[in-house]
Amino acid sequence: MADKNKVAEQYYAPPPDLGKWEAFRIFLWNSETGQVLGRTGSSWAKILLFYLIFYAILVGFFAAMLAIFYQTLDSKMPKWQMDGSLIGSNPGLGFRPMPDSANVESTLIYYRANDKGSVLKWATVIDEFLEQYRKKGSGGGEASGAENRVPCSPSTGALGEKQVCDVPVDKFNPCTSANQYNYEQAGPCVFLKLNKIFNWTPQPYNTTEDLPTNMPEDLKHHIKTMEGKPDANMVWVSCQGENPADVENIGPIQYIPGRGFPSYYYPFTNKEGYLSPLVAVLFEKPRTGVLINIECKAWAKNIFYDRYERRGSVHFELMVDRS
């Protein structure tokens, strides 16, 4: 009876004292137990099956959530528009040419008018910017949707479903590529554009009533001469020196092809081939060798101006040298 209740004694045998490389070899493949990297084949199969199922479920869940998310989006129309969007309903004003990308904080356009290399540098930057405006077809090397562009004017009727207004930049004389944008004549052209905001439509100052008090007098006079004409329906543009010294040094200015962005280019509805309208500002005779601070503004009843936040305006510096 005592023998039946006797518990067999068990002894612990320490593992054999193996060398470093021998222990590593046995870890890789143990011929006695059939283990690979410390696990048997069935153990590895269970682990691989578990992770296969786990990641398949994870990928399936992510794909389902992504599919549901994309059902809420429209590839042609943003979900949040105007004041409901992050960019709001106040379009910003931009300029070209921009300085080198290495100087991201710089807004200085500086060149030497008698240096062909210096002139060519800025002309090339503008050429690259205007390249998309010169593409007119859908063939090889052309822009998608360029065939949708048609000539427009204030008297143009409603456009077709796919049609958009063309921007004939090659007619912006003397601000053309063939003339190197007048940089060699020390009277450079700077191109202005409004940032695109989906479904935004300008409310133009097309009469002399309720004009802002801070609007330049020359622009007020221009609006007065255009009052009652179809050409008065546009987002007006003005450029001035920021300080009294800049006003003296900036010289006469021309706006090509007109004093602003015509209303028939708006609203932007993401039609294929659409291009933002441009205004080429020709600084005819800026004083050479002097840094000129310039502020350009866009004028419409629904464009609000704030110099410190750069709302409705853009700032840059111009310096033309001849030495």
Side-chain angles (χ1 to χ4, degrees):
M1 194 70 179
D3 291 339
K4 291 182 179 180
N5 295 328
K6 188 177 180 179
V7 179
E9 295 182 357
Q10 295 181 357
Y11 297 94
Y12 170 74
D17 188 14
L18 303 176
K20 182 190 302 183
W21 295 110
E22 181 66 14
F24 181 67
R25 184 189 66 78
I26 293 176
F27 171 73
L28 293 177
W29 164 246
N30 191 326
S31 58
E32 295 180 4
T33 61
Q35 292 180 337
V36 178
L37 299 178
R39 291 184 180 275
T40 62
S42 61
S43 177
W44 278 118
K46 291 176 183 177
I47 288 179
L48 290 175
L49 180 61
F50 169 78
Y51 280 107
L52 181 64
I53 296 173
F54 173 75
Y55 283 113
I57 294 173
L58 198 63
V59 169
F61 177 78
F62 178 76
M65 293 299 100
L66 199 61
I68 294 172
F69 171 72
Y70 275 115
Q71 293 300 315
T72 67
L73 301 179
D74 188 322
S75 61
K76 295 291 186 181
M77 180 185 303
K79 182 175 182 179
W80 307 108
Q81 302 177 21
M82 304 295 284
D83 290 328
S85 67
L86 289 176
I87 60 175
S89 59
N90 201 62
L93 192 63
F95 76 96
R96 295 293 187 279
M98 294 283 287
D100 295 335
S101 57
N103 301 320
V104 293
E105 296 183 358
S106 175
T107 54
L108 172 63
I109 301 174
Y110 168 75
Y111 76 101
R112 296 181 298 278
N114 57 350
D115 184 339
K116 293 186 180 297
S118 182
V119 170
L120 182 61
K121 168 192 168 183
W122 291 102
T124 301
V125 172
I126 300 176
D127 279 338
E128 292 174 354
F129 167 66
L130 295 180
E131 183 179 2
Q132 59 182 325
Y133 285 83
R134 296 194 173 99
K135 294 179 178 179
K136 303 300 181 185
S138 58
E142 296 296 341
S144 176
E147 69 278 6
N148 298 335
R149 298 170 190 157
V150 296
C152 293
S153 69
S155 59
T156 302
L159 297 177
E161 182 181 354
K162 294 184 177 181
Q163 289 180 329
V164 294
C165 289
D166 191 24
V167 182
V169 293
D170 289 330
K171 297 180 180 180
F172 283 20
N173 292 312
C175 300
T176 61
S177 180
N179 198 40
Q180 291 189 309
Y181 308 102
N182 216 51
Y183 276 63
E184 197 168 9
Q185 283 70 42
C189 297
V190 177
F191 289 80
L192 300 180
K193 63 184 287 289
L194 278 178
N195 295 339
K196 291 182 285 190
I197 294 181
F198 189 88
N199 224 19
W200 180 82
T201 302
Q203 299 172 12
Y205 291 110
N206 48 17
T207 68
T208 53
E209 296 180 4
D210 301 323
L211 293 180
T213 56
N214 59 339
M215 179 181 281
E217 291 300 323
D218 66 311
L219 179 53
K220 291 180 179 179
H221 177 73
H222 181 76
I223 294 174
K224 184 176 181 179
T225 62
M226 303 294 292
E227 189 170 1
K229 300 178 182 178
D231 288 338
N233 293 314
M234 65 169 60
V235 179
W236 304 106
V237 168
S238 66
C239 291
Q240 292 180 311
E242 284 194 347
N243 306 302
D246 300 317
V247 174
E248 292 182 8
N249 295 328
I250 197 170
I253 298 173
Q254 288 187 44
Y255 300 90
I256 303 167
R259 190 69 195 260
F261 309 105
S263 294
Y264 52 73
Y265 284 99
Y266 303 97
F268 163 65
T269 54
N270 208 21
K271 288 185 180 180
E272 195 172 21
Y274 177 86
L275 294 171
S276 295
L278 300 174
V279 173
V281 183
L282 172 63
F283 298 95
E284 295 183 29
K285 294 181 180 179
R287 181 168 295 180
T288 57
V290 176
L291 181 70
I292 305 172
N293 293 283
I294 299 171
E295 182 181 50
C296 295
K297 301 177 187 176
W299 299 92
K301 295 176 182 178
N302 54 345
I303 295 180
F304 304 101
Y305 167 71
D306 188 319
R307 169 177 284 189
Y308 298 102
E309 295 185 7
R310 293 297 171 194
R311 299 176 63 194
S313 67
V314 68
H315 162 91
F316 59 92
E317 303 92 35
L318 177 65
M319 184 172 181
V320 182
D321 218 338
R322 285 188 177 275
S323 58

